[in-house]
Each structure stands twice: as structure tokens, then as C-alpha cells.
Amino acid sequence: MKSQIKKTAITACFALMSIVTFAQVRPTDNVPAPPAGGPGEMPARPGRHRGGLEPGRALKVLTSLNGKVIAYQTNDRYIYNRFTLQNGNQVITVRFPEQLGKQLMSTAAKGKSVTVKGFTDNGPDGVNVFQMVSLLVDGTQIADTPPNIPIVPVNAPSGTFTGKINDFKRDQGGAIRGLSLDNKIEIDLPPHAVEQLQPLLKAGDKVKVTGIKDTPPSGVAFETGAPTTIHPETIEINGQTYLLR
């Protein structure tokens, strides 16, 4: 009797093991769904979505303007970066990359007929301007290319500059951005320095500054008589020196 019970138990164990093994190797009916987009379509790359470009990164629509160059104009750093264009009955401001200033002013001088390709954009003062991408004049095309060197080279030597304050230097929006000295030197100041030092600064005060002279890329055209711009590291006012880095 005991032997029969033992045999029955062993048989039941083998049967159970067979069921478990079969359950493990049997293919499942729940096959993972294929990637979205159907057979043969690769998943979208990171940074893009199925509609094309990322939301908020719309393509710029380029248009062309024909007309005559009226005059070149500078920004608040005395660098030529735009010109006015007589387009029919309209006068349009065309902004261009600073490093193209010398080339444009010599090739597309005042009175020249040009074709400008670009797009409408907001200027720093909130006014719409036409941003140049390329310009055609007398069969020569001038295109927008980035500068090859930084505006302030990393290895530029630091120097010491002194002078008396004439006035505050302001940007096109009227905000204070630095100091104008009596010897045609301008000192750029970061916003936090302007906020803290403005109560201490007044016309006629002598200041001593250590810093790096601004050296823009080749091709930039400055206004005649433009002051030298200094990117300061320290400034001394009334015998007290402040670190600006």
C-alpha cells in the first residue's frame, strides 16, 4: 500500500514538472507591438517629433529686397551693423553681422543698387528690422558667415587704464552699461556692478581700471573716432578697489 502511494506521488510530481516546463517554453500570444509608424519606419530621432521640427523652432522664411543703399549706421558700441535701404517708397533698416562691415561698406557703398536676401526679426530695441543673410551687388555675393576668432581673445594681455568719468555709457534701450572717460576710453560694467557702484560714481571722479582691450574680429568697421572699449577685471574708485570678474 505504501509502495503504491509512493509511486502515485512520484507520477504526480513528474506530471506537474512537465506542465511547468511546457508553460515556460511555449511561445506567448502577447507579441510586443511594433514601433509606431508601421513596418519599415524608423523611430523619430531625439530632438524631433513626427510633424518635423521641434515645437517653437519654426523655419525662417527668406525674402528678397531690391533697392539703393542710403546710409550705414552703428550700434551702441560704435560698430557698423546695419544700413538703410530705399525700397520703392519705403526706407527699410537692414541689419548685418558685424564682421561683414568693412566688406559691405567698400563693395556696397552708399548709392549702390543691391539685392538683399533675409528675414524680418526683432532688433535689440524691440523694433522690427530686416536681418541680412546674403547681399548681391554688381554680380558679387556677400554671405553671412560666423567670425573665425572670438570678440575678446582668451590670450589678450591685461592692461591698466586711467581717466576721469565723463558720463555713463548706455545701450540703445537707455540702460547703463558702463562708463565713458575723458580720454576716449569706455569701461564695460556687468549689471550687478552697475547696481552697486552707481551711487559711488559721479562726473569728474578719477578711476583706475585693469582689464582687456576689446579686439573685435577682422572685418568689423568702427565709427571714425570711436573710443577704446575695456572689459574690466578690477576698478579703483576713491582709493577702493573692486573685483569685477
Side-chain angles (χ1 to χ4, degrees), residues 55-244:
R57 294 187 61 183
L59 294 174
K60 299 289 188 183
V61 178
L62 298 183
T63 56
S64 294
L65 298 176
N66 297 305
K68 288 188 176 182
V69 177
I70 300 175
Y72 282 87
Q73 301 170 342
T74 62
N75 58 18
D76 59 334
R77 293 183 292 122
Y78 311 99
I79 294 175
Y80 287 97
N81 73 335
R82 62 191 187 275
F83 63 85
T84 48
L85 181 74
Q86 186 72 51
N87 175 249
N89 295 326
Q90 290 183 309
V91 174
I92 298 173
T93 298
V94 178
R95 186 175 61 195
F96 56 84
E98 294 177 358
Q99 68 270 14
L100 296 182
K102 288 184 179 179
Q103 186 180 7
L104 285 170
M105 293 177 72
S106 62
T107 308
K110 178 181 177 181
K112 282 280 190 178
S113 295
V114 299
T115 298
V116 186
K117 182 175 291 185
F119 57 91
T120 301
D121 196 13
N122 285 327
D125 53 1
V127 178
N128 284 345
V129 296
F130 191 79
Q131 178 66 50
M132 184 195 104
V133 173
S134 64
L135 179 143
L136 185 66
V137 54
D138 295 337
T140 299
Q141 179 168 284
I142 301 173
D144 176 11
T145 54
N148 294 322
I149 59 175
I151 292 179
V152 181
V154 175
N155 59 351
S158 179
T160 300
F161 309 88
T162 59
K164 292 183 179 180
I165 299 174
N166 264 348
D167 199 357
F168 288 110
K169 175 185 174 182
R170 300 177 184 272
D171 62 17
Q172 292 178 336
I176 296 175
R177 290 290 181 261
L179 302 173
S180 295
L181 305 186
D182 62 346
N183 51 1
K184 298 189 74 65
I185 288 179
E186 288 194 346
I187 312 299
D188 276 346
L189 292 176
H192 71 277
V194 171
E195 183 179 350
Q196 296 178 54
L197 296 178
Q198 186 176 352
L200 307 177
L201 302 170
K202 62 180 185 295
D205 282 351
K206 185 177 180 180
V207 296
K208 180 191 290 186
V209 173
T210 62
I212 299 172
K213 185 184 297 186
D214 187 28
T215 53
S218 61
V220 170
F222 279 92
E223 181 182 338
T224 303
T228 299
T229 300
I230 305 300
H231 303 282
E233 297 171 346
T234 66
I235 184 170
E236 181 180 318
I237 307 167
N238 299 325
Q240 181 67 54
T241 303
Y242 302 88
L243 182 65
L244 301 177

Side-chain angles (χ1 to χ4, degrees), residues 21-51:
T21 303
F22 179 78
Q24 291 177 341
V25 301
R26 183 182 178 183
T28 177
D29 293 332
N30 298 323
V31 180
E41 183 175 335
M42 296 295 291
R45 294 181 181 180
R48 299 178 66 88
H49 65 93
R50 303 185 62 79

